[in-house]
């Protein structure tokens, strides 16, 4: 049994002029689908950028806390002991 793959031609209007085209060729033509793909792309790129920025800032904060774990800042030296400061730094890094 053979299958006929031929599709009949149809009359299409393209910019005021009529021409013959097959439905397959018409389906392959690009069509306007609206602004949603652009908005989706912007949303995805913004989400990726925000996540990347968040990870960078978290890494910087963790490095800063680790670097300054061993000494209490001068402004808090009389109110916070070294053990309390180190415990707070450990909580921040956890």
């Amino acid at each position: 049994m053979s299958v006929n793959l031929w599709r009949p031609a149809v009359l299409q209007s393209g910019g005021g002029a009529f021409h013959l085209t097959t439905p397959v060729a018409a389906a392959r033509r690009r069509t306007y689908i609206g602004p949603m793909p652009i908005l989706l792309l912007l949303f995805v790129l913004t989400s990726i950028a925000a996540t990347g920025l968040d990870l960078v800032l978290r890494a910087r904060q963790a490095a800063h806390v680790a670097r300054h774990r061993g000494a209490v800042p001068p402004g808090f030296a009389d109110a916070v002991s070294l053990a309390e400061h180190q415990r707070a730094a450990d909580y921040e890094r956890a």
Side-chain angles (χ1 to χ4, degrees):
M1 170 190 270
S2 71
V3 177
N4 185 2
L5 298 178
W6 168 251
R7 296 177 185 225
V10 251
L11 196 56
Q12 295 279 332
S13 170
F18 289 97
H19 61 278
L20 288 174
T21 182
T22 64
V24 174
R28 287 184 186 152
R29 228 180 275 131
R30 293 181 72 180
T31 58
Y32 178 73
I33 54 176
M36 286 307 293
I38 293 171
L39 293 176
L40 177 64
L41 179 65
L42 287 175
F43 175 76
V44 169
L45 291 177
T46 303
S47 297
I48 291 171
T51 302
L53 180 63
D54 185 50
L55 291 174
V56 167
L57 291 177
R58 286 176 189 244
R60 287 187 64 194
Q61 174 69 11
H64 179 81
V65 169
R67 227 179 9 256
H68 296 95
R69 183 183 182 274
V72 179
F76 297 99
D78 55 344
V80 178
S81 69
L82 180 60
E84 291 171 332
H85 177 71
Q86 289 177 337
R87 189 177 72 190
D90 292 341
Y91 277 120
E92 170 67 25
R93 291 175 51 198

